[in-house]
Amino acid sequence: MLALSPMIAIGATMLLGMIVFTAMGYDGFHAVESIFLTPFLEPQRWADIGVKAAPLVMIALGLAIGFRANVWNIGAEGQYVMGAVAGTGVALLTYDMSGWWILPAMALAGILGGMAWAAIPALLRVKLQVSEILTSLMLTYVAVQLLYFLVRGPWKDPDGFNFPQTRMFTADQTLPTVIEGTLVHLGIPVALIIAAIAWLTMEKTTAGYAVKVVGLAPAAARHGGFSAARTTWATMLLGGGLAGLAGLFEAAGPFGQLTPQFPVGYGFTAIIVAFLGRLSPPGIVFGGIVLAGSYVGGEIAQSTVRLPQAATGMFQALLLFMLLATDVLVTWRIAWKRRAA
Amino acid sequence: MLVSIVMTLVAASTPLLLAALGELVAEKAGVLNLGVEGMMLCGAVAGFSVAFSTGSTGAGVVAAAGAGIAAAMIFAVLALSLMANQVATGLALTIFGIGASSLVGAGFVGRTVERLGPVFPAALSQHPLLRIVFGHDILVYLSLALVAGVSFVLSRTRAGLILRAVGENDASAHAIGYPVVAIRYGAVAFGGALAGLAGACFSLALTPMWADRLTAGRGWIALALVVFSAWKPGRLLIGAYLFGAVMTLELQAKAAGVAWLAPEVLAMTPYLATIAVLTMMSLGRRTGRLDAPACLGKPFSAS
């Protein structure tokens, strides 16, 4: 049942989407086909799905571990942006240099940037019980404004015809592609390796066990000597670091620079990925592929049935609603009983 | 100059006040609905599209409240009837509101409607000082009346007592025979209606032109205001107007073209101010979340 409910949710979303989009005057059947089936049936789209799935999987892994411990970091979008900002800072500093060490240095800066941004809500939550939901989200808006400020001001490309964007990264500053002639970059295998490590940590180590206990039974966790404060710190920093790394991979991969178009909402979509994956690493890889497919499919649907791009967001939201609704099947057994007269 | 600043301040505060007041009522009943931003966007787009197609701004306002209620009902079914996690469901509602408003509004980007006008005849607001009293639109007066109304109902009436009982101790309220889930449905619907009206403030009163995600996170600030208010409507009024003042300062500084401060830094201020306020609230009250209704965010099942 546990693995079945996401499948039911996906099926129900397809059905509901068909009804909603037909009612709105679009070709509902072909819209659903374009978004949920076409991307997976056409092999030339697979690389694109992988490129979009990698950041979603990385961010969702960090968030899911936090959600398990009842730590609601929903500011991953901001941590993703700050990771890219910190990594880009290194890229601009090393612009005239070359060497194998530049990309790892950028990745490290990306991780630290995301962590620093997540440390603020973690500190406020642990020391002052300020809701991490609100603070992490507020910081997302701050991060986006900071990005705008940098690309329009101090970091603007001097040779960029006054466009608000940074220099293009050099060859030493961009992620190598792993399959020649495609967009498939190093971030994709890295995301899969991180998922494997996360799975081993959650299932086989005391740390993973502690996270689950803190989330399920805080009182029992205190008795067992698992500190809620330490869990909050660990899960927030982990989530921030992974989101930061995902941000750097996007900047040094598909974007190749920072532009105002950089915040694309992966941090929020990753929340859906985490839930679709039932907060477990193997599930998250599956969820990341489904949601990445919906982005690719959304683009297909734009050309095939003239569905506006915003429809992708609607589908993703419907999917999350359906998931939460089908969760009832997992938590509760439906029993038909006659009401007492 | 001063009059226009006050007018801007009131206009900027009203959506925050409406949305936060609705959320306060829902939270008093024990329901944490993080979907305020989503409900606001649903209200904003419904209000705009109805006002655009009928030519009647008034009809738009009604539609906005209706859309807010409809969005709130999605949340209520999932969180109250199906007992889904309230945090996750609220987030889902916000993601839904962003997607739905963006989809419905795709054809309206850049279009304008007639602005929601002042309630009182123009003759009354000729004089600048009278304008501060009589020059606002219906939503401003409605929001102030609702603060008084909610405050009175919560503290002085039997209905308010029952609502608070449901939020403080759902099991006892149920044992005495009150329909906990039904009362929560009502409180969530009220919150949805007010969030919808808050959305209408953006699309019909502040800038009567459609833009994608025009609420820009104000729904989250409304949620923070409820914490700031310690769940008291009077303090909510003060908080909303303080934040309106911060935003007015931001607008004034932007208009005046303050050279040494980047516009992006100004745009950060409401969010930084929210974090600062939440932090100061906790510093002042070392015990943490003491004032929150005891059953806030917990699912309730009658069986």
Side-chain angles (χ1 to χ4, degrees):
Chain A
M1 216 57 203
L2 205 67
L4 201 61
S5 76
M7 297 299 172
I8 298 173
I10 292 171
T13 306
M14 290 167 73
L15 198 65
L16 188 65
M18 224 178 279
I19 296 167
V20 168
F21 287 99
T22 305
M24 287 181 73
Y26 298 101
D27 183 344
F29 178 79
H30 285 107
V32 168
E33 188 192 23
S34 299
I35 289 183
F36 287 93
L37 297 176
T38 315
F40 301 102
L41 297 178
E42 295 181 358
Q44 72 270 26
R45 313 254 185 205
W46 292 353
D48 216 11
I49 293 177
V51 168
K52 290 193 164 65
L56 289 173
V57 167
M58 281 168 66
I59 301 169
L61 284 170
L63 295 185
I65 292 173
F67 292 170
R68 283 207 163 179
N70 249 326
V71 176
W72 295 93
N73 172 15
I74 57 172
E77 182 78 2
Q79 293 143 24
Y80 161 90
V81 168
M82 289 311 287
V85 163
T88 302
V90 172
L92 294 176
L93 278 175
T94 57
Y95 192 69
D96 303 321
M97 302 175 208
S98 60
W100 62 267
W101 52 271
I102 293 178
L103 195 61
M106 285 166 63
L108 184 66
I111 294 171
L112 291 176
M115 276 187 171
W117 218 238
I120 303 168
L123 179 76
L124 291 174
R125 162 75 190 268
V126 168
K127 293 288 172 204
L128 296 167
Q129 276 108 53
V130 181
S131 161
E132 75 282 11
I133 298 173
L134 293 174
T135 49
S136 64
L137 198 103
M138 292 292 137
L139 285 169
T140 296
Y141 290 94
V142 177
V144 170
Q145 291 298 331
L146 189 66
L147 168 80
Y148 290 167
F149 170 72
L150 290 170
V151 297
R152 286 176 193 158
W155 286 6
K156 191 159 72 181
D157 182 359
D159 311 317
F161 305 102
N162 219 18
F163 277 108
Q165 56 196 29
T166 66
R167 290 174 187 277
M168 287 300 288
F169 295 168
T170 63
D172 278 347
Q173 296 170 337
T174 36
L175 281 185
T177 46
V178 287
I179 302 176
E180 221 44 60
T182 66
L183 299 167
V184 178
H185 59 71
L186 191 63
I188 295 168
V190 170
L192 289 173
I193 292 166
I194 294 173
I197 296 171
W199 181 72
L200 284 174
T201 312
M202 287 307 284
E203 297 305 320
K204 308 283 174 201
T205 67
T206 324
Y209 183 67
V211 164
K212 288 188 215 168
V213 176
V214 168
L216 288 173
R222 268 195 300 279
H223 273 291
F226 300 139
S227 149
R230 211 160 52 220
T231 310
T232 304
W233 271 114
T235 54
M236 286 293 285
L237 290 182
L238 184 77
L242 282 175
L245 186 62
L248 180 272
F249 279 180
E250 278 299 289
F255 276 82
Q257 67 185 147
L258 271 192
T259 78
Q261 283 76 44
F262 186 76
V264 287
Y266 282 150
F268 296 108
T269 309
I271 296 173
I272 306 177
V273 171
F275 281 108
L276 186 61
R278 309 232 63 90
L279 306 184
S280 89
I284 285 169
V285 172
F286 165 79
I289 292 170
V290 171
L291 269 287
S294 80
Y295 277 119
V296 176
E299 286 163 19
I300 300 171
Q302 254 179 296
S303 56
T304 53
V305 289
R306 309 224 165 280
L307 203 63
Q309 209 190 346
T312 316
M314 258 287 269
F315 266 110
Q316 294 178 345
L318 287 179
L319 179 58
L320 186 47
F321 278 142
M322 289 299 139
L323 269 169
L324 292 165
T326 47
D327 265 359
V328 176
L329 298 175
V330 178
T331 6
W332 304 83
R333 209 150 45 91
I334 297 171
W336 302 107
K337 62 179 179 190
R338 216 164 284 151
R339 277 175 195 276
Chain B
M1 175 71 177
L2 191 69
V3 173
S4 83
I5 290 181
V6 173
M7 297 299 287
T8 318
L9 193 154
V10 172
S13 311
T14 301
L16 288 177
L17 183 59
L18 282 168
L21 190 66
E23 178 67 14
L24 183 141
V25 169
E27 291 193 12
K28 273 285 181 192
V31 187
L32 179 66
N33 183 356
L34 294 181
V36 179
E37 178 87 357
M39 299 189 295
M40 273 167 73
L41 281 167
C42 288
V45 79
F48 190 91
S49 59
V50 168
F52 186 82
S53 50
T54 64
S56 157
T57 313
V61 171
V62 175
I69 294 176
M73 284 303 101
I74 305 176
F75 172 87
V77 168
L78 287 167
L80 303 179
S81 295
L82 300 181
M83 283 168 281
N85 179 306
Q86 291 186 8
V87 173
T89 310
L91 288 176
L93 185 57
T94 290
I95 295 174
F96 173 78
I98 292 170
S101 66
S102 178
L103 181 65
V104 175
F108 294 126
V109 174
R111 302 283 184 91
T112 53
V113 289
E114 197 189 335
R115 193 192 206 110
L116 190 60
V119 188
F120 296 104
L124 267 173
S125 51
Q126 290 288 331
H127 189 274
L129 285 179
L130 286 177
R131 215 171 106 214
I132 291 181
V133 183
F134 294 110
H136 305 284
D137 60 63
I138 179 107
L139 293 173
V140 171
Y141 300 109
L142 184 66
S143 68
L144 296 171
L146 281 168
V147 171
V150 167
S151 180
F152 177 79
V153 169
L154 280 179
S155 58
R156 298 290 161 84
T157 67
R158 190 174 168 75
L161 183 70
I162 296 169
L163 185 86
R164 283 186 288 138
V166 166
E168 292 294 347
N169 194 332
D170 48 18
S172 300
H174 174 71
I176 307 170
Y178 292 120
V180 172
V181 172
I183 290 167
R184 286 184 172 172
Y185 259 90
V188 169
F190 181 78
L194 263 58
L197 289 176
C201 287
F202 284 98
S203 63
L204 299 177
L206 284 169
T207 46
M209 184 174 77
W210 184 256
D212 208 26
R213 296 201 201 185
L214 75 180
T215 54
R218 300 293 191 256
W220 296 101
I221 293 182
L223 278 161
L225 278 173
V226 178
V227 180
F228 167 80
S229 76
W231 291 266
K232 293 180 183 74
R235 281 185 61 165
L236 193 66
L237 183 71
I238 299 169
Y241 274 78
L242 274 177
F243 263 85
V246 171
M247 287 170 206
T248 310
L249 272 177
E250 179 203 329
L251 287 173
Q252 292 289 332
K254 219 174 246 175
V258 182
W260 52 273
L261 212 56
E264 292 87 2
V265 177
L266 287 170
M268 287 176 194
T269 45
Y271 310 106
L272 289 172
T274 309
I275 297 174
V277 161
L278 287 172
T279 307
M280 282 187 294
M281 286 299 295
S282 299
L283 276 174
R285 203 182 49 243
R286 298 312 297 247
T287 38
R289 297 168 174 164
L290 198 66
D291 297 328
C295 291
L296 186 60
K298 290 184 192 142
F300 174 77
S301 155
S303 53

